[in-house]
Amino acid sequence: MKTRHDEVFHALHAEGLLMLSNCWDAGSARIAEAVGSKALATSSAAVAWSHGFADGSRLPTDLLLATVKGIKRVSELPLSVDIEDGYASEPERVAALVTELLRGGVVGINIEDGTEAPELLCRKIAATRRAAAAAGVNLYINARTDVYLRPLVDAGARVAETLRRAQLYKEAGASGLFVPGVREEADMSAIAAGCTLPLNVLVRPGFPSPERLAQLGVRRLSAGSDISETMFSFVSNSMRHFLQNGEILTPPAPALNYPGLNALMARQA
């Protein structure tokens, strides 16, 4: 009997550290799988930029769904999709979008509170959980709180506020907690110990090693938009250099040349 992708994705958070390099289209998903990713997860910013839109719930949802279709065409790995705030304020509309994502084969989502009251995210999570149950999918709902990204509370109160929100989100039906912006080991350890949801953090320069993060209780490490930023930065510099000098810049890492890329993209999922 074939193992369900939703069960596999939940199991990947049970022990050790799940590392997600974050993709944004079918091509980057192929690369993520080829280099050893155990699951796929999108970055909302990277997906938006790949379509020529700014991040911040500006991406039309039909393009989000098209991105999912493209990724699922090339990979059978479990797929989680960052839906920002759900692209709507009304929980029913968020649930309707999630239902479409489930039909496309998605088994996980990220959904965030931002500057809104946590009670609104609770209602979105609850509506989403009901939609997933109706579809027969044990959806992994990764509830993102922006307590560390935005000046929502004083610095000394961030751990307590994060844990307060984590409990609300768990009661609403969340599967995991995403706390981008947290940097201090003591804070990560306190959040992991005080919350029964698997803790997801966003990598930053100077972060502890993956082994150390696992020791602190972190269960998921995301690259976010950083890999996409690096790619677009190199493309921008390469185009500028070509227009100015008529030359192609040599990449700082070994190149994926035409034959290699073409062979990679030709693989069957």
Side-chain angles (χ1 to χ4, degrees), residues 195-265:
C195 173
T196 56
L197 296 174
L199 175 60
N200 178 192
V201 298
L202 178 68
V203 71
R204 295 289 87 190
F207 239 37
S209 68
E211 293 77 17
R212 178 58 179 159
L213 289 173
Q215 291 172 357
L216 294 171
V218 176
R219 290 291 169 261
R220 176 166 160 179
L221 177 64
S222 299
S225 64
D226 281 17
I227 294 173
S228 174
E229 290 175 44
T230 300
M231 184 271 296
F232 276 113
S233 177
F234 184 75
V235 169
S236 175
N237 290 331
S238 295
M239 288 181 171
R240 182 180 297 109
H241 184 82
F242 173 77
L243 291 174
Q244 292 174 347
N245 302 287
E247 300 171 344
I248 301 299
L249 279 179
T250 301
L256 265 175
N257 58 17
Y258 181 96
L261 274 169
N262 217 38
L264 175 62
M265 300 305 170

Side-chain angles (χ1 to χ4, degrees), residues 39-91:
L40 300 174
T42 66
S43 154
S44 66
V47 172
W49 297 335
S50 73
H51 288 287
F53 286 88
D55 192 27
S57 297
R58 295 177 176 87
L59 180 73
T61 55
D62 62 326
L63 292 181
L64 177 68
L65 294 168
T67 298
V68 168
K69 183 178 181 180
I71 292 172
K72 292 303 296 181
R73 178 181 63 83
V74 302
S75 177
E76 294 185 356
L77 289 178
L79 173 62
S80 181
V81 173
D82 184 347
I83 62 170
E84 305 191 60
D85 62 355
Y87 299 96
S89 297
E90 302 82 4

Side-chain angles (χ1 to χ4, degrees), residues 19-128:
M19 300 178 68
L20 295 171
S21 54
N22 294 102
C23 57
W24 53 90
D25 59 12
S28 58
R30 280 193 186 273
I31 292 172
E33 182 169 1
V35 299
S37 295
K38 296 180 179 178
L40 300 174
T42 66
S43 154
S44 66
V47 172
W49 297 335
S50 73
H51 288 287
F53 286 88
D55 192 27
S57 297
R58 295 177 176 87
L59 180 73
T61 55
D62 62 326
L63 292 181
L64 177 68
L65 294 168
T67 298
V68 168
K69 183 178 181 180
I71 292 172
K72 292 303 296 181
R73 178 181 63 83
V74 302
S75 177
E76 294 185 356
L77 289 178
L79 173 62
S80 181
V81 173
D82 184 347
I83 62 170
E84 305 191 60
D85 62 355
Y87 299 96
S89 297
E90 302 82 4
E92 296 75 17
R93 289 180 59 195
V94 176
L97 172 62
V98 170
T99 297
E100 292 189 74
L101 291 169
L102 294 172
R103 290 181 185 137
V106 170
V107 296
I109 61 166
N110 275 20
I111 187 165
E112 64 199 49
D113 51 21
T115 59
E116 300 291 344
E119 290 73 19
L120 176 58
L121 182 54
C122 287
R123 293 196 293 273
K124 291 179 180 180
I125 291 170
T128 296

